[in-house]
Amino acid sequence: MEKIEHSYLNIRGLRLHIAHIGKDELGTVVFLHGFPEIWYSWRNQMIGVAEAGFRAIAPDFRGYGLSDQPPEPESTTWEDLVADLLGILDSLSIPKAFMVGKDFGAIPAYQLAVHHPDRVLGVVTLGVPFSPAGFSFDTTLPKGFYITRWREPGRAEADFGRFDAKRVVRTIYILFSGSELPIAEENQEIMDLADSSTPLPSWFTEEDLAAYAALYEKSGFRLPLHIPYRTLHLRMTKADPKVQVPALLVFGEKDYVLKFPGMEDYIRSGTVKHFVPDLEIIFMPEGSHFLQEQFPDQANELIVKFLKNHI
């Protein structure tokens, strides 16, 4: 961890934080976090790809972690995240890079590849495939489904507001590391699905939790609730989008996201390859939604192999 350096870039009127390591002997890899993650969730992969000869960069998205909050968080769009990525590449004079996205970080990674293929060497995503229109939840899952709850203005704010940032991140890590969809009963809130006696996953330490909590204490949850949850239906669109660069999708067999309606069939049937023709799909039998933290060595091996095959 002490090898990883930190810088701030002035991008589109905001001061964005990036963590970085490596000498760019073989190319640059940009790691894009999900929620409740942050640059820190890529710590092991950054070191792994740097040791393999690549430069690793992990930004905090605008409104997350150490990056600035935009003046009007609820006006932030997916286009903003893609434009920020282009700004980071331009600021660092990087003509093309690999994108590695986890959870909602997969969305801007793929959108950059679709709309700016000249800037992307390849895409790796963990836990989320490319989907041109997203997946529907409102009519296929109970109203207590966490995404449905968090889309409701004020509901998650009131739920999260009962606890400090550490407790919120702790609960979400516990829920999202399981294999069942987080769904609350009518008289429950999502934060009630795990209490203080529920143990953390074995691979997630109190030190890790403290690192996440410190970052979310700074940023709060205002932007994270807007992107991704309240803007999933407002993604950048393009008629019959195709990802024309090489891609790798890694999914844990025990990832609760596989239970999203239609998700597993979409992947296993190969339908996803209509949109991502040069796609390799790998399932990790014991992997959860946080497989890069759960099994860092195996994740690093898969990522580095893909990178070296597509330099």
Side-chain angles (χ1 to χ4, degrees), residues 1-4 19 21 29 31 37-52 54 56 58 100 126 173 203-205 208 212 290-301 303-304 307:
M1 285 292 294
E2 65 276 2
K3 301 175 186 176
I4 296 176
I21 184 175
V29 186
F31 291 92
E37 296 161 303
I38 211 70
W39 79 264
Y40 181 84
S41 58
W42 294 115
R43 59 200 179 280
N44 297 307
Q45 285 66 51
M46 293 180 71
I47 293 171
V49 303
E51 289 176 346
F54 295 87
V100 181
L126 311 181
Y173 249 85
W203 41 265
F204 192 69
T205 68
D208 295 331
Y212 280 91
F290 301 103
L291 60 85
Q292 90 278 19
E293 294 184 275
Q294 182 185 11
F295 298 115
D297 292 342
Q298 293 95 316
N300 288 0
E301 183 179 348
I303 292 170
V304 169
L307 298 175

Side-chain angles (χ1 to χ4, degrees), residues 122-195:
V123 178
V124 179
T125 61
L126 311 181
V128 173
F130 177 78
S131 172
F135 290 81
S136 174
F137 310 115
D138 295 333
T139 60
T140 52
L141 285 168
K143 292 182 179 180
F145 180 51
Y146 79 98
I147 290 179
T148 305
R149 286 286 182 89
W150 290 353
R151 282 178 172 176
E152 185 180 335
R155 183 107 187 216
E157 288 85 344
D159 186 14
F160 290 8
R162 297 179 293 156
F163 308 103
D164 61 18
K166 184 175 183 179
R167 173 66 181 271
V168 173
V169 173
R170 184 182 191 278
T171 299
I172 296 172
Y173 249 85
I174 289 168
L175 296 179
F176 286 12
S177 64
S179 58
E180 298 302 320
L181 293 172
I183 297 174
E185 299 292 338
E186 186 175 345
N187 60 348
Q188 279 184 314
E189 297 299 331
I190 299 301
M191 289 295 107
D192 297 329
L193 295 178
D195 60 29

Side-chain angles (χ1 to χ4, degrees), residues 204-223:
F204 192 69
T205 68
E206 288 290 343
E207 181 182 4
D208 295 331
L209 177 59
Y212 280 91
L215 293 167
Y216 278 99
E217 282 168 3
K218 178 188 179 299
S219 69
F221 297 99
R222 185 175 173 183
L223 199 291

